[in-house]
Amino acid sequence: MKQPSLCRFSVSMASDLAEQLDEMVKAKGFANRSQALAEMVRDELVSYHGETGSREIAGTVTLVFDHHKRNIQSLLTDIQHDHGDLIISALHVHLDHHTCMEVLAVRGASAAVRKMADRLISAKGVKHGRLTVTTTGKEI
Ligand code: NI
């Protein structure tokens, strides 16, 4: 992959904040402040793009549910079939006698992915669900 050109700019912040940044840079093993700040900016941009607009995002939807609950499995399957274009892969794990966990790898326009995730997470019988958004790696 081609190295992006670098842009230099100075940052001003409260000195106690800068000291805590330096401690974090050291503790997390970043090479320097610039690398840590770039990582923080990238993380914020991923969240920002995941919330707004039609930009393509990748991510995972994690769902935990009791498969004994009436119709839950077929309801979740129906929703997934409605959005086959957004789901790259699906993993089903039987956590215990009652509880299942599904992890869906998803990719698509942020609004479409979010809408599908909301349908799955709000489906009756889902105990807990979460969409985790990341970048497709193309733009950020
Ligand atoms: Ni199961």
Side-chain angles (χ1 to χ4, degrees):
M1 200 164 156
K2 198 180 135 215
Q3 283 289 97
S5 63
L6 289 178
C7 162
R8 286 183 193 280
F9 61 99
S10 61
V11 176
S12 302
M13 67 177 74
S15 53
D16 65 331
L17 200 58
E19 280 170 26
Q20 289 186 57
L21 172 65
D22 287 341
E23 283 171 25
M24 190 197 75
V25 166
K26 204 171 163 187
K28 288 198 169 189
F30 287 109
N32 49 48
R33 285 176 177 164
S34 292
Q35 191 196 11
L37 285 172
E39 181 53 38
M40 290 157 83
V41 169
R42 194 172 289 115
D43 194 43
E44 276 303 310
L45 287 173
V46 165
S47 304
Y48 173 68
H49 294 317
E51 286 164 15
T52 57
S54 57
R55 217 178 259 249
E56 190 179 48
I57 56 168
T60 56
V61 179
T62 304
L63 303 164
V64 174
F65 57 94
D66 181 342
H67 74 99
H68 292 114
K69 286 266 165 71
R70 209 164 165 263
N71 293 332
I72 181 65
Q73 186 72 73
S74 68
L75 175 58
L76 293 178
T77 302
D78 284 349
I79 297 171
Q80 291 178 46
H81 276 271
D82 285 346
H83 300 281
D85 55 326
L86 300 174
I87 300 172
I88 307 162
S89 181
L91 170 74
H92 184 109
V93 180
H94 313 300
L95 289 178
D96 63 26
H97 183 67
H98 296 278
T99 312
C100 301
M101 179 171 73
E102 282 192 359
V103 182
L104 311 175
V106 297
R107 181 177 58 204
S110 61
V113 169
R114 201 162 282 281
K115 198 171 166 190
M116 175 190 66
D118 286 345
R119 271 186 80 189
L120 290 164
I121 292 166
S122 66
K124 198 174 176 210
V126 171
K127 272 186 191 168
H128 183 252
R130 175 158 294 166
L131 167 66
T132 303
V133 174
T134 187
T135 177
T136 59
K138 288 180 205 156
E139 295 180 63
I140 302 171

